[in-house]
Amino acid sequence: SRIYGLTIYKLSLHASMRNWCRVSAVKIGLKITLVLLVVAICYTILYFQLFQPKTTVIRISGSTTVYPLAVKWAEEYMRLHKDIKIEVSSGGSGKGITDVLAGLVDVGMSSRDLKSDEINRGALPIPIAYDAVIVVVCINNPVLSELQVKGIKLSILKEIYSGLVSNWEYVIDKDLNGDGFISINATHAININTGSIEGYSAPIEYEIHPYTRAEASGTAETFAEKIGIGDQELLTGIKVVGNPGMVVAVRDDKLGIGYVSLAFAYGEAAEGVEPIPIDFNEDGVIDEGERLDNYDIAIENIVNGKYLLSRALYFVTKHKPTGMVKEFIKWCLTEGQQYVAEVGYVPLPEEKVHESLKLIG
C-alpha cells in the first residue's frame, strides 16, 4: 500500500507540474502578445507623426457674393491638394473683414472696397474677380414690360430707396388706373391735366415694395454708394439676408424691387426675378452700355466699364498672407481664374492679375 500511495503521489505531482507549465506558457504568450500589440500601436502612431502629411486647414468667411466662387475654388484646390482642407462660410462682407482682423479666419471675403480704418488695422484687400450689382423685380411685376424697355432712371432709383417714391406709376410715368393722377408715393401724385403735385391717396395695387440687406453687406454698401445714397444704413426697405434671401423675397412679391450680385441675376439662381436696366444718363432710352438683356451683354458692359454699378471682389488677409494661405490665393489668381466665369463672375484682366500677385508678394 505504501508503494501504491507513493506511485499515486508521483503521478499527481507530475500532473500538477504539467498544468503549471501550461498555465505559465499561456501567461507568457499573453504577455508577449500584449507587448507586441503595444509596440505595433506605438510604431503606427510614430509612423503617422513622422511620415504622413499633416492636414492644413484654411478658414474663409464673409461676403455671400464671393461665397459661391470661394466654394468652387476650395473644391478644386482640395482635389489637387489632399493635405489641404478649406472651410468656407458666409455672413456678409462686414463679418468676413471682422473675422480676419480678429484672427478667427485666415481669409475674409468682401464685395465692397475696404474702409480706411480697416486698412489701418492691417487688412489687405486682394482683388480676385469682378462683379456688378443688378436691380431685379418679380417676373409678375405689373409694369415689367415698360421697365424692360425704359429701365429705371438713376435718380428715381435713389428716391425709391430714400423712401420718397413708392408707386410704380411714377417710375414709368404713366397713369395706370385711369384716375387722372400719376402717384408718387402714399400721399402725393402728379395731376396729369395740370402737371402739379397734389395731395393724394395712392392706390395700393401699384405700391413699390423695396427690399434691402439686413446684414453688413458689401453688395448693399456698393449699391448705396453707386446710386448716391452713400451708406447701407440709409437704404429704405424690407430687410432680408443674403443674395438668395433677396431673390426669394422679390420673387414672391409682384410689387417688390431688390438688388443682387451678378451671379444671382441670371440663370437658375435668379428663378422668378428679372434684371432691370438702369437709365444712368436719364435720357429715357436704354443705351448699349446700360443694357442687361442677358448674361453675355451684362458681362460685356461690365468689362468695358459702361455699367456703372460694377465692382471688384476681394479676398482680405491680415497683412500679407504666408505659407499655404498665400499659395492658395496665388492659385486662385492664376489657375483658378478659369472657374470665375463658370460661377457667374468676371475674371480679372491679365494686368490686374499681376497687380494682385504683387500685393501678396
Side-chain angles (χ1 to χ4, degrees):
S1 62
R2 286 181 180 177
I3 294 171
Y4 177 76
L6 183 60
T7 301
I8 295 298
Y9 171 75
K10 287 181 178 179
L11 291 173
S12 176
L13 181 61
H14 285 306
S16 298
M17 289 180 67
R18 284 196 300 272
N19 288 336
W20 180 83
C21 288
R22 289 196 192 98
V23 171
S24 297
V26 170
K27 288 181 177 180
I28 292 170
L30 287 173
K31 288 180 179 179
I32 292 172
T33 302
L34 183 60
V35 169
L36 291 174
L37 181 61
V38 170
V39 169
I41 292 172
C42 291
Y43 177 80
T44 301
I45 293 172
L46 184 62
Y47 173 80
F48 276 97
Q49 287 181 338
L50 294 178
F51 302 107
Q52 287 295 95
K54 295 180 180 179
T55 299
T56 298
V57 179
I58 298 174
R59 294 178 174 84
I60 304 173
S61 77
S63 167
T64 61
T65 295
V66 183
Y67 177 79
L69 178 56
V71 168
K72 178 63 177 177
W73 277 341
E75 291 172 348
E76 295 299 328
Y77 196 75
M78 287 189 292
R79 187 173 60 81
L80 298 172
H81 302 272
K82 305 299 184 184
D83 58 333
I84 301 291
K85 181 181 180 182
I86 303 174
E87 299 173 350
V88 186
S89 62
S90 61
S93 296
K95 182 179 186 303
I97 296 168
T98 299
D99 285 351
V100 78
L101 288 175
L104 300 177
V105 298
D106 303 291
V107 180
M109 301 178 288
S110 179
S111 57
R112 64 165 172 82
D113 294 337
L114 268 64
K115 300 172 183 177
S116 57
D117 67 301
E118 294 166 340
I119 293 175
N120 291 338
R121 290 162 58 197
L124 176 66
I126 305 160
I128 53 171
Y130 281 110
D131 181 35
V133 181
I134 308 291
V135 172
V136 292
V137 300
C138 176
I139 58 173
N140 297 317
N141 187 290
V143 297
L144 178 61
S145 58
E146 288 92 341
L147 292 173
Q148 289 173 323
V149 174
K150 287 188 170 184
I152 300 176
K153 289 183 178 180
L154 183 61
S155 60
I156 292 179
L157 187 61
K158 178 182 178 180
E159 290 171 334
I160 290 172
Y161 275 95
S162 299
L164 300 176
V165 170
S166 60
N167 199 284
W168 286 110
E169 285 191 342
Y170 185 73
V171 175
I172 65 168
D173 192 27
K174 190 174 184 179
D175 176 16
L176 294 170
N177 61 356
D179 64 356
F181 290 88
I182 295 175
S183 300
I184 301 172
N185 51 43
T187 58
H188 290 83
I190 299 172
N191 186 320
I192 61 174
N193 294 316
T194 66
S196 61
I197 297 177
E198 302 178 8
Y200 180 78
S201 181
I204 62 172
E205 65 263 31
Y206 297 114
E207 182 180 64
I208 298 173
H209 300 158
Y211 289 88
T212 188
R213 293 285 285 274
E215 76 279 21
S217 161
T219 302
E221 285 284 352
T222 300
F223 181 69
E225 178 188 347
K226 299 281 189 180
I227 68 172
I229 289 180
D231 191 279
Q232 175 186 350
E233 297 302 318
L234 300 177
L235 293 170
T236 298
I238 303 163
K239 297 186 183 299
V240 296
V241 177
N243 283 294
M246 184 71 77
V247 170
V248 170
V250 175
R251 179 197 69 194
D252 294 343
D253 184 351
K254 70 177 183 178
L255 298 176
I257 183 173
Y259 53 89
V260 294
S261 64
L262 179 66
F264 293 86
Y266 298 93
E268 292 183 7
E271 185 177 355
V273 300
E274 186 74 17
I276 299 301
I278 300 172
D279 184 5
F280 291 111
N281 60 9
E282 309 209 351
D283 62 356
V285 177
I286 296 304
D287 302 322
E288 283 298 316
E290 297 168 339
R291 289 175 56 199
L292 296 173
D293 306 39
N294 56 54
Y295 176 77
D296 290 335
I297 290 176
I299 289 289
E300 182 180 344
N301 286 327
I302 293 168
V303 171
N304 63 29
K306 292 181 179 179
Y307 186 74
L308 301 185
L309 264 65
S310 58
R311 57 177 174 172
L313 302 178
Y314 300 94
F315 272 164
V316 182
T317 58
K318 189 172 184 180
H319 308 302
K320 286 191 176 185
T322 59
M324 293 298 183
V325 175
K326 177 181 177 179
E327 292 305 311
F328 169 65
I329 297 176
K330 186 183 292 185
W331 179 87
C332 294
L333 292 169
T334 51
E335 296 175 52
Q337 287 293 299
Q338 65 182 299
Y339 302 108
V340 175
E342 179 182 328
V343 179
Y345 299 110
V346 183
L348 289 177
E350 188 174 346
E351 65 273 15
K352 296 296 182 182
V353 168
H354 292 312
E355 289 177 11
S356 291
L357 288 172
K358 284 181 180 179
L359 284 174
I360 65 176

